[in-house]
Amino acid sequence: MDISIERLCIENGLKMTGPRRVIARVLSEATDHPDVDELHRRANRLDPRISLATVYRTVRLLEAKGILARRELGSRRARYEPNGDGNHFHLIDKESGSVVEFSAPEAETKLREIARTQGFEVDTIKIELFGRRPKA
């Protein structure tokens, strides 16, 4: 991921404590969409003093500041990723819970055309496709 959560925190006037720096690093390095428990596991590997409560508080703060986006991706647990206004596409495996981000410029073009025919101008496209990978 090419977004520095720590930089966004500083730009938003947040005090960067040691635990926040670790959590920001974990979020910046994530290539998946971790839930709070997974964030805690990863942060705890870097600093065993970081509690689950600290991770919850930090995630809520980053979400409130608009730095993180909470995503409900078909599981009971919310997942998190850097907030952004760009077009965003996810494939979600309903069995494993894995999430794959992808881009689809041709689909974006077609969706914008459809919207225009309805008299609507699209600012941002966010799509979540749910399914499962075929068994090998």
Side-chain angles (χ1 to χ4, degrees), residues 59-91:
V59 164
R60 280 192 222 116
L61 176 64
L62 299 181
E63 188 180 3
K65 288 286 190 178
I67 295 168
L68 281 188
R70 177 186 179 104
R71 299 279 183 242
E72 304 293 338
L73 299 174
S75 68
R76 291 174 292 189
R77 296 175 183 232
R79 295 169 176 239
Y80 295 89
E81 65 183 350
N83 201 6
D85 293 330
N87 299 331
H88 209 76
F89 300 84
H90 292 117
L91 292 169

Side-chain angles (χ1 to χ4, degrees), residues 21-81:
R21 285 185 197 283
V22 170
I23 294 165
R25 174 179 163 194
V26 168
L27 286 164
S28 294
E29 293 175 354
T31 57
D32 54 353
H33 298 69
D35 63 22
V36 172
D37 288 333
E38 183 57 29
L39 281 173
H40 177 248
R41 273 191 288 283
R42 293 175 192 179
N44 206 259
R45 274 187 237 132
L46 299 173
D47 183 348
R49 297 168 297 175
I50 295 175
S51 70
L52 184 57
T54 297
V55 176
Y56 269 104
R57 280 192 306 273
T58 302
V59 164
R60 280 192 222 116
L61 176 64
L62 299 181
E63 188 180 3
K65 288 286 190 178
I67 295 168
L68 281 188
R70 177 186 179 104
R71 299 279 183 242
E72 304 293 338
L73 299 174
S75 68
R76 291 174 292 189
R77 296 175 183 232
R79 295 169 176 239
Y80 295 89
E81 65 183 350

